Amino acid sequence: MARIVVIGAGLGAMAAAARLAVAGHRVTVYERGATYGGAVGRFERDGFAFDTGPGLLHLPAVYRDLFVKTGKEPLEECVALTQVDPASRHVFADGTRVDLPNASRAGTVAALDAALGAGAGERWGDFLVRAREAWDRTRRPLLEEPQPADPAPLAREPYPALKPGLLRRPATTLARIGTRELRDPRLAALLDAYAWTYGFDPATAPAAAAVLPYMEQTFGSWYVGGGLRALADAVYERCLKRRVEFVFDTPVEDVLEKDGRAVGVRLAGGDTVEADHVVSGAPVPALPPRSDGRPRHQVLGTSRVTVCLALRGPREPAAVHRTVVHADGDRPTVTVLRPDDPALRPDADHESVTVTATVRTSPERDAGAWEAFADGMVEAAGRAVPELRERLLWRHVRTPEDVRRDTGAAEVPGPALAGADGLLLPAANRSPLPGLWFAGGWSHPGGGLAHAGMSGALVAGFIVEGADFRGSR
Ligand SMILES: Cc1cc2nc3c(=O)[nH]c(=O)nc-3n(C[C@H](O)[C@H](O)[C@H](O)COP(=O)(O)OP(=O)(O)OC[C@H]3O[C@@H](n4cnc5c(N)ncnc54)[C@H](O)[C@@H]3O)c2cc1C
């Protein structure tokens, strides 16, 4: 039995903690905040409740696996999972609207043809075929296996060129796919929105980011009853059942090192704790850069602004769960979430709605600038929620500073992507210091609920099975 200290109670770190405890290790989590979950938080006021982090789950298989491997009750017995259908409504700048069904390629093609004109669906479907090629080429090394010792092959673009042979024209950025291959500004906006949602700028994101819409449209979007915070509750409960110990309000200030190995941590206040392994789920610290001078982890420079809206009046029966209102002039693309969930509202005569936008973390803005930005977001959300202004009781704006308070970093890391010269690969789980491991969104395979959950599985695999661990088969 090894003594394992885990830094932070984010989802990635808790996933590692539960698995390590089941393997017979003594696991203690030190969390700087007063609660678990990190980004997966909740804001409550006057009987309204809002997810302050992700509002939907993709690839629930990652959490199903965690629950199967760490106990008797499967995930579905611990949380109420439902597929969101339609997966999303899109409102484009020109006013066109389309509802995309959940995980149905044929349904998506038909919906796009009907809304955008004949041929649009086929172009999107053909694009998804190429996106699938990129997914198949990178799924194992970028999601299911540890980062390869030599990640150079992952620096190459996996998205296939449009035409073979002499007409071969490799796509360079996601935005280029939009103009060259989708040939409709609304389809291009649809593609761009997937990149922005995960924090990537489509103008610079590699074509490899095509795996993001492929992943969502193939494996579906899921809601957790009571809000996504209920998933954090369930993972925390699972950790407690496996006798993981949690110490809250206790930041870790340093990792102790002896003879070139991590041997414990120093807590705020000066106490030290010895450990055989340290798993850090905190934002990866400023590691020394790689020998070629580049950072060891992904640098996106983006975060999220979330506006929680408390509305009077019932949610209309035809409302959809997720609407993406696409950018229009200076107004950003916003995602409007309207879960039909009694747990999130005081009664049936009220509704809680969240509106989220991806923003750059620099230059910094003051409180007034954020309120003005939120005004634009609410105006955009008005295209998804009828009579929004008249129904608004109050709003609460959460900025990247709130994200920093919840997680330790204002930036929200994205999933690992191939291409881009390897710049979008996160830090490896195995840190440069033996005995210190990285889990969570800042490490392989990157940010997002499912990816961070996988990081926990990989770190636990390394510690339990040894350095030769190659991923669970
Ligand atoms: C607003 C927002 C929207 C998001 N939307 C989506 C989405 O739509 N889809 C999606 O998949 N993902 C989304 N994400 C990302 C997703 O929530 C995270 O990637 C996921 O929760 C995994 O987080 P993590 O494991 O990296 O831990 P984090 O949530 O980053 O938590 C880190 C934890 O470590 C603690 N900590 C930090 N430093 C220390 C220290 N020194 N000592 C002790 N504890 C420390 C922090 O307090 C925190 O609890 C969103 C995130 C945010 C913030």
Side-chain angles (χ1 to χ4, degrees):
M1 179 169 84
R3 295 158 307 170
I4 297 173
V5 160
V6 174
I7 307 175
L11 267 285
M14 287 201 291
R19 287 171 182 270
L20 288 165
V22 163
H25 300 301
R26 204 171 81 213
V27 185
T28 308
V29 180
Y30 292 94
E31 165 55 51
R32 67 196 246 292
T35 184
Y36 49 84
V40 187
R42 166 171 291 224
F43 175 74
E44 291 178 346
R45 185 195 289 174
D46 303 341
F48 292 91
F50 307 84
D51 277 321
T52 56
L56 294 172
L57 176 63
H58 299 104
L59 300 178
V62 172
Y63 288 90
R64 286 200 185 104
D65 186 63
L66 171 67
F67 278 70
V68 164
K69 301 269 169 63
T70 59
K72 289 203 181 85
E73 308 89 15
L75 178 64
E76 266 87 352
E77 277 181 27
C78 302
V79 296
L81 270 185
T82 48
Q83 298 209 42
V84 175
D85 206 354
S88 50
R89 169 170 293 169
H90 291 265
V91 180
F92 296 103
D94 69 354
T96 313
R97 289 172 178 243
V98 60
D99 287 357
L100 300 182
N102 196 43
S104 163
R105 178 81 58 88
T108 297
V109 166
L112 289 171
D113 268 344
L116 309 188
E122 192 184 340
R123 286 200 299 285
W124 183 261
D126 290 347
F127 153 71
L128 285 182
V129 171
R130 293 186 288 279
R132 182 194 173 140
E133 231 179 288
W135 170 261
D136 286 344
R137 284 178 186 165
T138 55
R139 176 178 57 90
R140 287 200 70 84
L142 277 191
L143 184 60
E144 296 169 3
E145 295 172 351
Q147 197 176 84
D150 175 13
L154 290 174
R156 287 198 286 273
E157 177 54 69
Y159 183 81
L162 185 56
K163 297 217 174 90
L166 289 176
L167 292 174
R168 196 176 164 83
R169 288 192 307 169
T172 46
T173 64
L174 202 68
R176 286 253 170 97
I177 294 180
T179 42
R180 276 189 193 171
E181 302 179 19
L182 298 176
R183 301 193 307 278
D184 180 316
R186 296 161 299 182
L187 285 182
L190 175 63
L191 179 59
D192 286 359
Y194 281 99
W196 278 119
T197 300
Y198 288 88
F200 298 99
D201 180 345
T204 53
V211 298
L212 302 173
Y214 173 79
M215 184 182 77
E216 280 201 25
Q217 294 197 357
T218 305
F219 306 110
S221 301
W222 303 73
Y223 178 65
V224 179
L228 264 282
R229 175 70 182 171
L231 179 67
D233 294 341
V235 175
Y236 175 66
E237 291 298 327
R238 180 55 54 95
C239 283
L240 292 181
K241 279 195 180 146
R242 302 281 77 87
R243 295 175 193 272
V244 174
E245 194 190 337
F246 285 81
V247 185
F248 291 105
D249 297 311
T250 306
V252 170
E253 287 201 329
D254 207 357
V255 174
L256 304 175
E257 194 181 328
K258 192 175 170 201
D259 302 331
R261 197 187 152 82
V263 292
V265 294
R266 192 178 66 242
L267 307 175
D271 286 352
T272 59
V273 185
E274 289 181 9
D276 302 301
H277 294 273
V278 176
V279 175
S280 176
V284 168
L287 288 173
R290 296 187 285 213
S291 52
D292 57 8
R294 295 185 307 176
R296 280 184 193 269
H297 55 85
Q298 197 190 57
V299 181
L300 291 186
T302 54
S303 185
R304 308 288 185 277
V305 174
T306 306
V307 185
C308 307
L309 300 174
L311 304 185
R312 73 168 72 81
R315 179 184 189 274
E316 74 274 12
V320 298
H321 192 119
R322 168 169 62 172
T323 303
V324 178
V325 181
H326 291 264
D328 189 3
D330 288 342
R331 229 181 40 203
T333 295
V334 298
T335 300
V336 182
L337 293 182
R338 306 179 67 189
D340 186 9
D341 189 340
L344 303 185
R345 56 197 180 218
D347 54 46
D349 285 328
H350 293 86
E351 184 184 3
S352 63
V353 172
T354 60
V355 188
T356 310
T358 296
V359 288
R360 295 185 199 285
T361 45
S362 68
E364 285 182 10
R365 303 174 202 217
D366 62 19
W370 283 125
E371 287 296 329
F373 188 82
D375 287 343
M377 290 172 64
V378 174
E379 195 188 314
R383 300 184 76 187
V385 185
E387 299 176 350
L388 175 55
R389 288 213 167 275
E390 297 72 23
R391 295 180 60 201
L392 186 61
L393 284 169
W394 50 260
R395 78 181 194 192
H396 171 72
V397 180
R398 292 179 45 89
T399 71
E401 262 321 295
D402 295 290
V403 175
R404 190 199 300 279
R405 245 191 310 280
D406 290 346
T407 67
E411 261 193 55
V412 178
L417 288 185
D421 220 9
L423 282 172
L424 298 177
L425 298 177
N429 304 112
R430 186 205 296 252
S431 86
L433 180 67
L436 172 64
W437 307 89
F438 294 131
W442 290 90
S443 59
H444 178 79
L449 281 171
H451 288 69
M454 273 308 297
S455 78
L458 292 171
V459 166
F462 270 123
I463 294 176
V464 173
E465 292 185 28
D468 290 338
F469 173 68
R470 291 284 169 270
S472 50
R473 304 270 156 188

